[in-house]
Amino acid sequence: MKIKVSQIIELIIELSCILMLGFLLIPQNDIIGYNTSRILVGVWSIISTLLVIKLTYKDKQFRKINCILNRYFIPYTLIIFLMAIYSYYTYRFALWDLLLIFIPYLYAYLAYAIAYVFYKQKSMEKMMDKISILVVIILVFKAYAWYQYNFKGEIVFERLLFEYDDWFRNGMQRVNAGYLVGIASVFLLCKQTKGISWIVYRLAVGFIVLFLMYVTAFRYQLIVTLFTCFVVYYFYKGGQKKQLIKRMALIGVVVYFLTSEQVQNLISSFAISGSDIGYSTLVRLMNVEHYGKLMWNKFAIFGIGFISKASPTALSLMSYGNGKIFWLEDIGILGGFFRFGVMAVFIYGYLFKHAISDCLKLLKCNTQIRTIMFGITAYMITSCVMLNIFDGQRAFDVPFYIAIIAYVEGVFLNKNRKNPML
């Protein structure tokens, strides 16, 4: 049987997901190593981009999607390379250390390959269904490791369990949810099936929510995911009468939920003096003040660049108190602004603007693709407020955001309004 190029590219994307989601951390010993796997994904991203550009050079239909991608990636490439050069000379990084910082910014280029597979399959669902299943499977492994350690005192899947050292809350070891959790939640919620399949997909989303609530114990990510679920159901495809009833019921549930004691306790936990957990809020405020003063003193209109504790010079800028460190990763999109300065307006603004624009264009289209677009946009923008999408813990989500935006916009701009993809 002849294998199509699009199938090879899809396989590369799926292998990248397996590496990035942490499946190679399940065995006791390293297979290819943490850094090696990320470098591989970065290299694959560049190679697949060049391959897609060559394959679609004369494809007039894909050219619209390609143009959208090019308009983002040409300035993006210039910005990140200039920032890498600036950081290398300013902070005197070793080349290997700088490479490890730089690699997550290469993941974004996988957007070309993802958009190409969407285009060839005439659907986002086929590939995203597989990837969503991979996300749920790895979360099951992590949840099992978390339960065994915290309630049975047994260590299983050690490298998944202790991916981050000394990461406790309420006396329990926490486990990071990892990449693509929000994106998988949207696609699982948007599945328009009936019977047992419908129940299975909703249970999968419920499992993700419970994982964020108890295993990761990440308050903001939990809030963002619940908000995204609300947005998806609000715009869920259906008849006008059915949609109206569903929306009224949904708003009622949300009002009740927001006034509940559990939610009030969750909100109060963010207060600086409200609880021990509120200390993290205080640290973040101190973090913003620290880097704000640093940028002001240096008049760093183009940002302070890539900083890491791997460089003694950079570490001195990040340190405070008794050897503690202010991480840019802890302050969301502000961390991106401190890193890129005014150039952050393009890095983030282009994606947000086009995502919102696509949503507005699809507002009156009662379609599944509208629901997906609203869900992805809600998660991307709201999560970025506190969880910078370009940070190492979330950077692999970025190519999917870009590919979805480009694919939806490229299809919507197609003059053939009878296109089955809409």
Side-chain angles (χ1 to χ4, degrees):
M1 183 176 66
K2 187 176 179 180
I3 300 177
K4 297 179 181 179
V5 177
S6 61
Q7 292 175 318
I8 296 174
I9 293 175
E10 183 181 5
L11 179 61
I12 289 173
I13 296 169
E14 291 169 1
L15 286 173
S16 297
C17 290
I18 289 172
L19 291 177
M20 298 303 296
L21 290 174
F23 281 92
L24 295 189
L25 295 177
I26 294 174
Q28 186 69 26
N29 300 315
D30 273 334
I31 298 175
I32 61 174
Y34 179 87
N35 290 330
T36 303
S37 63
R38 276 143 181 75
I39 290 172
L40 271 177
V41 174
V43 172
W44 288 348
S45 299
I46 299 299
I47 292 174
S48 62
T49 295
L50 297 175
L51 181 59
V52 167
I53 290 173
K54 182 178 180 181
L55 286 171
T56 59
Y57 181 71
K58 296 182 179 180
D59 191 326
K60 293 182 179 179
Q61 287 187 323
F62 188 79
R63 191 175 297 170
K64 296 173 182 178
I65 298 174
N66 215 9
C67 286
I68 297 166
L69 293 170
N70 289 341
R71 284 198 295 269
Y72 182 71
F73 278 105
I74 291 174
Y76 174 85
T77 302
L78 180 63
I79 290 170
I80 62 170
F81 273 95
L82 284 176
M83 196 57 65
I85 294 169
Y86 168 81
S87 302
Y88 175 74
Y89 286 104
T90 302
Y91 304 116
R92 300 180 181 179
F93 279 109
L95 284 175
W96 174 253
D97 292 328
L98 183 62
L99 175 64
L100 295 181
I101 298 170
F102 189 70
I103 281 295
Y105 292 93
L106 297 183
Y107 302 157
Y109 293 93
L110 197 63
Y112 281 89
I114 298 169
Y116 179 71
V117 174
F118 289 164
Y119 168 72
K120 296 299 288 186
Q121 294 181 345
K122 293 183 171 61
S123 169
M124 293 187 287
E125 282 189 271
K126 293 179 182 178
M127 182 173 66
M128 293 309 301
D129 283 353
K130 298 178 186 177
I131 292 173
S132 298
I133 291 170
L134 289 175
V135 171
V136 173
I137 290 173
I138 196 64
L139 291 184
V140 169
F141 277 100
K142 289 181 176 183
Y144 179 71
W146 172 84
Y147 177 81
Q148 290 297 112
Y149 180 75
N150 288 299
F151 293 95
K152 301 289 186 178
E154 299 176 4
I155 297 178
V156 293
F157 309 128
E158 180 179 358
R159 294 191 301 143
L160 281 178
L161 179 65
F162 300 115
E163 186 177 358
Y164 298 105
D165 295 332
D166 193 26
W167 205 41
F168 288 87
R169 176 160 289 172
N170 299 325
M172 301 180 73
Q173 172 70 32
R174 303 160 68 190
V175 182
N176 184 38
Y179 299 105
L180 304 178
V181 169
I183 295 172
S185 298
V186 171
F187 277 92
L188 289 169
L189 277 175
C190 289
K191 289 294 293 182
Q192 295 181 338
T193 55
K194 297 181 179 179
I196 298 298
S197 296
W198 187 92
I199 296 173
V200 169
Y201 285 120
R202 271 56 186 180
L203 285 175
V205 176
F207 168 68
I208 291 174
V209 170
L210 290 174
F211 187 98
L212 296 175
M213 185 181 298
Y214 296 107
V215 182
T216 299
F218 206 146
R219 296 165 296 167
Y220 189 74
Q221 190 176 15
L222 172 63
I223 291 170
V224 169
T225 303
L226 291 174
F227 171 71
T228 302
C229 292
F230 169 81
V231 171
V232 168
Y233 270 110
Y234 188 85
F235 289 100
Y236 199 78
K237 179 183 177 182
Q240 289 185 355
K241 185 177 180 180
K242 187 177 181 181
Q243 277 189 327
L244 179 62
I245 295 172
K246 184 184 294 184
R247 288 174 180 178
M248 290 176 65
L250 191 59
I251 291 171
V253 170
V254 170
V255 171
Y256 174 79
F257 183 73
L258 289 176
T259 56
S260 67
E261 183 180 352
Q262 291 83 355
V263 173
Q264 293 301 314
N265 291 337
L266 176 63
I267 294 172
S268 64
S269 72
F270 284 95
I272 295 172
S273 59
S275 67
D276 293 336
I277 301 175
Y279 177 70
S280 64
T281 303
L282 174 61
V283 172
R284 283 173 169 81
L285 292 174
M286 293 167 58
N287 196 333
V288 172
E289 182 182 15
H290 173 79
Y291 286 111
K293 287 181 178 178
L294 190 63
M295 283 193 69
W296 177 263
N297 294 335
K298 289 180 171 291
F299 195 62
I301 190 171
F302 295 110
I304 59 177
F306 299 138
I307 57 175
S308 162
K309 64 179 183 179
S311 160
T313 305
L315 180 59
S316 66
L317 298 179
M318 302 165 65
S319 301
Y320 74 101
N322 298 320
K324 296 181 180 179
I325 296 175
F326 281 130
W327 299 99
L328 286 175
E329 289 79 2
D330 288 340
I331 51 177
I333 195 170
L334 278 175
F337 173 74
F338 292 139
R339 182 173 286 125
F340 294 106
V342 295
M343 294 182 291
V345 175
F346 175 81
I347 293 285
Y348 299 93
Y350 184 95
L351 296 183
F352 295 172
K353 174 184 176 297
H354 280 263
I356 293 171
S357 175
D358 288 353
C359 287
L360 293 176
K361 292 174 183 176
L362 292 166
L363 191 58
K364 295 182 180 180
C365 299
N366 187 15
T367 60
Q368 185 181 14
I369 201 168
R370 178 192 69 170
T371 310
I372 292 172
M373 194 65 229
F374 268 93
I376 293 297
T377 301
Y379 189 86
M380 176 180 69
I381 294 177
T382 55
S383 67
C384 197
V385 173
M386 290 294 291
L387 308 171
N388 187 354
I389 57 176
F390 282 95
D391 287 341
Q393 295 177 355
R394 288 161 287 276
F396 190 64
D397 292 33
V398 173
F400 291 88
Y401 293 139
I402 300 173
I404 291 167
I405 292 169
Y407 174 74
V408 171
E409 188 165 331
V411 170
F412 185 84
L413 294 175
N414 192 329
K415 293 181 180 179
N416 180 11
R417 295 303 176 90
K418 294 182 180 179
N419 193 312
M421 292 182 282
L422 277 177

